[in-house]
Amino acid sequence: MSGIDELFAAAAQVRARAYAPYSRFAVGAAIRGAGGGLYLGCNVENAAYPSGACAEQNAIGAMIAAGERRIAEIAVLGDALEPVTPCGACRQRIREFADISTRIHAGALSGARRSYGMAELLPDAFGPDHLNGAGA
Ligand code: THU
């Protein structure tokens, strides 16, 4: 099994625990941290719809809680015709902990997959460096 296969297998496992009674669209996300650790998240919806959280968001929370700060790669998995790419807000969330080598793997249960670099998914992104140069 390749590293990407392992990441998608982990994403499939955590996807099975998604709480998505409203959309019925379960998503799993698995992060490989720069230090080699694996961090998982699934989407957690809410009766107050905007209070729901994406799988990527929760995987990032698990990564940060474990003390890791860099995403080497992240796999996102859902049941769609096309590979499931992170939503706009999650692209920004991933960007915070990404670097030039970070890979984002989108997948569908059918087996369709596509991989991206951060700049492909969020070109010219606002990031921590902007704030480091800020202020009078
Ligand atoms: N969702 C994710 O968790 N990640 C994505 O990349 C796309 C969308 C969730 C949010 C919501 O719970 C459901 O999928 C339908 O949008």
Side-chain angles (χ1 to χ4, degrees):
M1 218 189 240
S2 77
I4 295 177
D5 287 341
E6 281 175 9
L7 218 51
F8 273 113
Q13 285 198 349
V14 70
R15 179 181 173 275
R17 297 195 281 271
Y19 177 74
Y22 306 109
S23 73
R24 305 221 168 266
F25 190 75
V27 181
I31 292 172
R32 179 73 66 193
L38 186 64
Y39 310 100
L40 308 181
C42 55
N43 53 333
V44 181
E45 297 185 346
N46 193 283
Y49 293 178
S51 298
C54 286
E56 299 92 320
Q57 187 176 356
N58 289 329
I60 288 169
M63 179 188 82
I64 294 301
E68 172 64 84
R69 294 284 172 91
R70 305 310 301 168
I71 299 173
E73 51 183 342
I74 176 170
V76 183
L77 183 67
D79 188 9
L81 292 175
E82 299 291 328
V84 174
T85 46
C87 76
C90 282
R91 292 177 193 208
Q92 186 68 43
R93 292 185 178 106
I94 294 166
R95 164 66 187 89
E96 184 75 14
F97 307 106
D99 57 36
I100 197 80
S101 63
T102 297
R103 299 297 292 169
I104 298 114
H105 311 294
L109 287 193
S110 65
R113 287 181 188 174
R114 189 167 166 192
S115 296
Y116 305 84
M118 191 70 246
E120 284 179 272
L121 289 187
L122 199 63
D124 302 324
F126 183 82
D129 290 346
H130 287 100
L131 293 182
N132 292 339

